[in-house]
Amino acid sequence: MSVSSLYVGRIPDGPVRDYTLDGALLARFAVCCPVCTAPPGITGGTTEDEVSITVEAAGPLAEEVLRHLRAGDRVLVVGGLASSPPDPTRRGATDLYVRAVHVGLDLTTAGWRRDPVPVPSGAAATGHPEYHW
């Protein structure tokens, strides 16, 4: 049993299609969540940083994630922490990720608008960085 948590952030790269060993569809993506590095009540303002969280959605939710989410989308993810099986090539290390139960667009950004996504070096820009639906 795991306790569900809410993660709010931006998708830096589009979701990736993957499959489990038994052939079930997975969607994997990262969410950059803002975190405040200064304790509350400290004068002089707060500084913000980002932490990147790996998210995995399965089944019908994975289909919807792959169909609708793109790089730059602001999202809300509800899910619990999970870990990968131990990897013998990495001395039994495991990876932590969030197993998504619900994924949705964050509409508090004045409408459905994607955040600008930096263009990788060497790539040509394909148009305006914000997409309006």
Side-chain angles (χ1 to χ4, degrees):
M1 179 175 115
S2 70
V3 176
S4 290
S5 296
L6 175 66
Y7 302 89
V8 180
R10 179 183 54 82
I11 299 176
D13 300 310
V16 175
R17 179 181 302 270
D18 202 359
Y19 296 92
T20 63
L21 292 175
D22 61 355
L25 177 65
L26 293 175
R28 290 195 172 120
F29 58 97
V31 176
C32 292
C33 301
V35 292
C36 182
T37 58
I42 299 295
T43 58
T46 61
T47 57
E48 293 223 357
D49 202 0
E50 283 186 341
V51 63
S52 182
I53 298 169
T54 302
V55 179
E56 182 179 282
L61 180 58
E63 291 175 19
E64 295 302 317
V65 164
L66 291 166
R67 183 178 299 132
H68 295 288
L69 298 184
R70 301 289 177 262
D73 284 345
R74 290 178 180 253
V75 294
L76 306 165
V77 176
V78 176
L81 285 177
S83 63
S84 64
D87 185 352
T89 63
R90 292 177 29 215
R91 297 185 184 174
T94 62
D95 295 317
L96 285 178
Y97 63 93
V98 173
R99 182 175 290 138
V101 178
H102 302 283
V103 177
L105 289 171
D106 181 2
L107 301 180
T108 62
T109 58
W112 296 327
R113 182 178 63 230
R114 291 190 167 100
D115 282 350
V117 177
V119 177
S121 61
T126 58
H128 197 277
E130 295 187 57
Y131 303 94
H132 300 274
W133 297 342

